[in-house]
């Protein structure tokens, strides 16, 4: 017994590698080799066919003059600019829809999801009708509906004016605006930096309170970093803050901020459609919180709004955030439907480039790279936020 217990284990082939590990390695190498062979065959076949048809490959065309008009662009653009800058403008237009759409859809979806759980019968039923109706109608049909509705609005001379300085017509939604120049950007950048510094300061204040139990107000730091410092810089640089009011001249409006009918219809369709799904996610997240949390908060006499904001929603976020990521990705990718109503996002500009240059593979590759980068960025941020709010077991 003693001799067998002290006997060294049998030596394996290739050191510590066993038969199972070698089989796993073999199959992995085989699968990767087959995948590389398929990719190599497709690439070789594509290059051969392009050469036979005398179609040049590469991205050299991006330096040529685009010659295409872009009616609604966030960045300054001229048809004499290059295809590369046209793509950049298209990416900016896509982000303009995606970022604003995600924010508005989150706010609207959260409100509707909470309304579905309201004790008010009429409010909960209206929220249910909103969710079930919009989720069951294809997004493309909703997009076309809003675009046709925008075209049916009165002309600029008979534009609706719901609020002073705001006009709604078949030219789009026209709003007052504050011209943003280099000086204004410096002040806004200071305010953003103040928000970041305040976040760090607030975390330290909370950590100190957890150590000694003494509460320390954070609002003086917020007031100083986000309001006082940017205001002082604005006074020091003598930054002009003027409101540019739109006014009708001839057949169109001059001044202010104009949201084109295509952009406005696309934004409304994406926000309303996605908010219906977000509402269900929020509702299920709130219902996942144990009933005892509500009962304990009621026993303490807390207001329902305070309970929801400080107790229920922070716990529900752990259930809400993962599926919410999918909705953010869907909204971003669904923005490519803008080509159906003529809004020139990155897909529309790539299609025009493809028709003008014949560089089909390169144009499609650029579209894929843009959406892949945006989607991975959203996923990275949401996964980071999800890990940050996750419960840590001790």
């Amino acid at each position: 017994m003693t001799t067998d217990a002290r006997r060294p284990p049998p030596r394996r082939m290739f050191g510590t590698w066993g038969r199972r590990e070698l089989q796993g390695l073999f199959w992995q190498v085989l699968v990767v080799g087959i995948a590389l062979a398929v990719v190599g065959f497709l690439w070789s076949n594509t290059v051969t066919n392009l050469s036979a048809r005398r179609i040049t490959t590469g991205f050299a065309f991006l330096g040529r003059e685009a010659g295409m008009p872009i009616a609604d662009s966030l960045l300054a653009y001229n048809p004499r600019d290059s295809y590369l800058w046209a793509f950049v403008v298209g990416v900016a237009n896509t982000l303009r829809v995606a970022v604003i759409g995600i924010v508005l859809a989150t706010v609207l979806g959260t409100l509707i999801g909470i309304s579905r759980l309201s004790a008010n019968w009429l409010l909960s039923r209206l929220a249910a009708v909103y969710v079930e109706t919009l989720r069951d109608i294809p997004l493309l049909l909703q997009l076309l509906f809003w675009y046709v509705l925008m075209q049916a609005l009165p002309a600029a001379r008979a534009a609706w004016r719901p609020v002073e300085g705001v006009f709604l017509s078949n030219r789009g939604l026209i709003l007052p605006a504050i011209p943003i120049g280099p000086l204004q950007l410096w002040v806004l950048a200071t305010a953003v930096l103040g928000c970041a510094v305040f976040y760090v300061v607030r975390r330290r204040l909370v950590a100190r309170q957890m150590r000694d139990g003494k509460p320390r107000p954070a609002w003086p730091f917020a007031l100083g970093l986000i309001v006082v410092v940017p205001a002082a810089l604005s006074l020091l640089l003598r930054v002009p803050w003027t409101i540019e009011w739109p006014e009708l001249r001839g057949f169109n409006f001059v001044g202010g901020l104009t949201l084109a009918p295509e952009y406005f219809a696309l934004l409304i369709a994406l926000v309303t459609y996605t908010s219906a799904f977000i509402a269900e996610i929020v509702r299920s997240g709130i219902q996942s919180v144990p009933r005892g949390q509500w009962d304990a908060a009621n026993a303490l006499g807390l207001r329902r709004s305070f309970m929801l904001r400080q107790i229920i929603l922070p716990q529900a976020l752990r259930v809400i955030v993962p599926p919410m990521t999918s909705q953010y990705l869907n909204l971003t990718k669904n923005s490519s439907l803008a080509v159906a109503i003529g809004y020139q996002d990155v897909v529309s500009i790539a299609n025009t480039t493809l028709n003008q240059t014949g560089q089909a593979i390169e144009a499609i590759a650029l579209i894929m790279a843009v959406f892949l980068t945006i989607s991975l960025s959203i996923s990275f941020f949401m996964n980071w936020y999800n890990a940050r709010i996750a419960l840590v077991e001790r």
Side-chain angles (χ1 to χ4, degrees), residues 213-224:
K214 297 180 180 179
R216 295 172 175 83
W219 67 266
F221 296 95
L223 182 64

Side-chain angles (χ1 to χ4, degrees), residues 34 59 74 77 94 121 163 186-187 203 218 262 276 297 323 354 393:
I34 293 174
F59 294 92
L74 184 63
Y77 173 80
T94 298
W121 182 88
V163 183
W186 277 106
V187 177
R203 292 196 62 180
E262 296 80 9
L354 186 154
E393 297 183 358

